Amino acid sequence: MKRLLNTLYITQPDVYLALDGDNIVVMKEKEKLGRYPLHNLEAVVSFGYTGASPALMGYCAERDIFITFLTTSGRFLARVIGQSKGNVVLRKKQYLWSEDEVQSAKIARNFILGKIYNHKWMIERMTREHPLRIDVDRFKEVSQHLSTLITEVRVCEDLEQLRGWEGQAAVRYYKIFGEMILQQTDDFYFHGRSRRPPLDAVNAMLSLAYTLLARDTASALEAVGLDAYVGFLHRDRPGRASLALDMMEELRGIYADKFVLSLINKRLVNKDDFFKKENGAVLMTDDARKTFLAAWQQRKQEKMEHPYLGEKIVWGLVPHVQALLLARYLRNDLDEYPPFLWK
């Protein structure tokens, strides 16, 4: 259980949430695990197949406290809300700003800023930790180019220009991404992104990691009352969670890419975990996918210090914290959306 920005996160599965006076009580069987006053909470987010008493749900609905239920893996299940009053203002602001390209660019540039900054951090860390196994001069050159792009992005107020800077950064980053693979290099190689279908084992894992991250981010946005399908950088398209794709940009490298690299470099996957179809698509075996998902869930439970909040949280809560910060910015509680800048 963790409280962040007036939101209570119930991360322990198989517990029951009950009402006791003006307090929420977390129980497992007959044991009370925690007790929290409801008067200063805005939302409760529960991971796992948790039960909640009708009295608690009614109390929260009347007071505009959202209760969101997610699976243990982070997939959105349902949200208990009362009459449409609190959330409508937040979503109207989101829709209004999404239609304004200048305002959209002010938010989108921070997503891109976080993405490029974190890619630069990964590159710099490789030069410090593995100087004898990589081309340090080549890595430093890419890092310097990313620094230049960061300067441009900070002041950009045009969406098309932002997409151009982001595209340049991605090309430079992916050109050296394969050199971050330090083990099993004969079997795992990367010559560029291939999506539909993935044409090598690395791209197969990247695509799965991005899919999982997008799902977790969409769930986090829904949990705070935002519409995951209305974005600022990615424009509206039927069936596409555009805002989730926006917000996950800053987490792609440090969250998903780094995870895939660790699987390869720690030899948690090998060439026998993949097979090629007739159309050239490379896919994971069922057993390998289970290993991948188990490792992903384990990664989400690892603790870290959030660079903006300065609090210890698990990695799995990072999308939820960023969603909370975005909601607060849209409510004018923050002067600017703070991207996730890993240190």
Side-chain angles (χ1 to χ4, degrees):
M1 291 164 284
K2 180 71 175 177
R3 182 175 166 184
L4 293 167
L5 300 174
N6 293 338
T7 297
L8 177 64
Y9 291 91
I10 310 295
T11 56
Q12 184 169 348
D14 303 323
V15 297
Y16 188 76
L17 307 180
L19 181 68
D20 183 8
D22 293 321
N23 304 287
I24 180 173
V25 179
V26 182
M27 305 182 66
K28 187 167 186 178
E29 296 178 352
K30 294 184 179 180
E31 180 185 359
K32 292 184 179 180
L33 302 181
R35 179 187 180 92
Y36 303 89
L38 284 162
H39 67 271
N40 56 359
L41 286 181
E42 296 176 356
V44 178
V45 179
S46 179
F47 292 80
Y49 299 98
T50 306
S53 71
L56 174 65
M57 290 189 285
Y59 180 100
C60 291
E62 288 179 359
R63 290 159 179 80
D64 208 21
I65 302 172
F66 307 135
I67 303 180
T68 303
F69 296 97
L70 310 175
T71 66
T72 52
S73 64
R75 183 171 59 85
F76 180 82
L77 290 174
R79 184 170 65 247
V80 178
I81 60 175
Q83 297 180 15
S84 297
K85 42 186 178 181
N87 253 23
V88 67
V89 176
L90 176 62
R91 290 207 176 195
K92 283 182 70 175
K93 186 74 164 290
Q94 178 188 357
Y95 299 148
L96 183 65
W97 281 14
S98 178
E99 292 296 320
D100 184 334
E101 291 204 359
V102 173
Q103 192 65 56
S104 291
K106 291 180 181 179
I107 303 175
R109 70 184 177 193
N110 281 16
F111 296 139
I112 300 304
L113 180 66
K115 178 179 183 177
I116 300 175
Y117 178 96
N118 290 330
H119 283 174
K120 177 179 168 62
W121 179 89
M122 291 175 64
I123 292 169
E124 290 291 339
R125 183 166 180 174
M126 285 294 295
T127 62
R128 293 195 303 269
E129 296 183 354
H130 306 284
L132 301 180
R133 305 189 65 179
I134 62 171
D135 185 340
V136 173
D137 290 338
R138 180 173 157 85
F139 271 61
K140 287 290 187 180
E141 180 186 352
V142 173
S143 177
Q144 183 58 49
H145 185 75
L146 295 185
S147 294
T148 302
L149 291 177
I150 287 173
T151 303
E152 298 288 354
V153 169
R154 285 185 187 276
V155 295
C156 184
E157 295 187 357
D158 180 81
L159 280 176
E160 283 304 314
Q161 186 64 69
L162 272 176
R163 295 186 184 103
W165 296 137
E166 188 274 335
Q168 284 191 38
V171 168
R172 289 299 188 102
Y173 167 76
Y174 280 130
K175 278 187 176 180
I176 61 170
F177 180 77
E179 297 179 46
M180 299 186 200
I181 300 172
L182 305 177
Q183 302 289 336
Q184 309 182 86
T185 53
D186 290 339
D187 301 320
F188 292 93
Y189 49 85
F190 182 85
H191 302 305
R193 277 292 282 144
S194 56
R195 299 171 177 81
R196 299 182 183 91
L199 301 177
D200 56 63
V202 176
N203 273 292
M205 288 189 288
L206 286 176
S207 292
L208 179 54
Y210 293 158
T211 298
L212 294 173
L213 180 57
R215 183 198 64 187
D216 291 348
T217 305
S219 295
L221 291 165
E222 292 289 345
V224 301
L226 289 165
D227 190 332
Y229 288 82
V230 178
F232 302 105
L233 178 66
H234 294 81
R235 309 313 287 172
D236 297 347
R237 182 185 300 175
R240 183 172 75 175
S242 295
L243 186 57
L245 296 178
D246 283 358
M247 205 174 72
M248 70 177 274
E249 290 292 349
E250 61 201 85
L251 302 177
R252 280 181 186 267
I254 197 62
Y255 202 119
D257 296 358
K258 197 166 181 294
F259 171 75
V260 170
L261 289 170
S262 71
L263 291 183
I264 300 170
N265 291 333
K266 293 179 180 179
R267 297 181 180 272
L268 297 177
V269 293
N270 58 63
K271 63 179 182 179
D272 296 329
D273 291 324
F274 301 85
F275 64 94
K276 181 176 287 189
K277 298 184 68 176
E278 292 181 358
N279 66 349
V282 175
L283 303 177
M284 302 180 73
T285 65
D286 290 341
D287 287 342
R289 191 178 297 106
K290 291 177 183 177
T291 299
F292 187 101
L293 293 174
W296 180 265
Q297 288 304 112
Q298 184 177 355
R299 168 65 169 160
K300 288 167 63 175
Q301 296 306 312
E302 294 177 6
K303 290 189 176 182
M304 48 79 73
E305 182 175 304
H306 192 279
Y308 179 78
L309 297 183
E311 291 191 40
K312 288 280 187 180
I313 63 172
V314 295
W315 271 99
L317 287 183
V318 171
H320 292 267
V321 173
Q322 295 308 120
L324 282 169
L325 293 172
L326 178 59
R328 289 202 161 196
Y329 170 62
L330 291 173
R331 291 191 179 108
N332 295 322
D333 293 333
L334 294 173
D335 294 332
E336 189 175 16
Y337 166 71
F340 183 83
L341 305 178
W342 185 233
K343 300 177 181 178

